[in-house]
Amino acid sequence: MKEIYLVVTHAVSDCEDCGVGTQVFSTYEDAHRAFGNYVSGEMAYIAEEEDWIVEQSDDSFCAYKDGRYSESHTFGEIRKVVVE
């Protein structure tokens, strides 16, 4: 069995679904690097916004307007998948 790593992202901006993105990597290190780039870009994007809540761990990131998640949010995570 082989392990692969997915970086899955989703965003909504002013009630407009910006879509789901998925990138596939053969190593955790490559996935973590791409995930870090995603988080950096999203943090730069929301830096000038007010009232955003940020929840983050090593493999997960979520930011959203306080009380308005369904209207504006960004989410990303690393998922490990076992390929048989």
Side-chain angles (χ1 to χ4, degrees), residues 10-84:
H10 179 249
V12 173
S13 179
D14 294 324
C15 296
E16 183 177 334
D17 189 344
C18 300
V20 174
T22 304
Q23 295 175 284
V24 180
F25 298 92
S26 59
T27 67
Y28 175 81
E29 291 75 20
D30 289 342
H32 197 265
R33 188 175 309 109
F35 174 73
N37 290 338
Y38 171 78
V39 171
S40 294
E42 294 301 289
M43 289 297 288
Y45 178 77
I46 66 171
E48 297 183 22
E49 299 289 330
E50 295 181 17
D51 300 326
W52 277 69
I53 308 272
V54 176
E55 299 172 355
Q56 187 172 1
S57 70
D58 287 342
D59 295 340
S60 179
F61 170 81
C62 184
Y64 53 93
K65 284 189 178 182
D66 190 15
R68 301 190 177 280
Y69 181 90
S70 62
E71 295 174 15
S72 291
H73 70 265
T74 180
F75 169 83
E77 71 179 359
I78 299 173
R79 296 180 185 173
K80 179 171 74 171
V81 177
V82 177
V83 180
E84 297 183 29

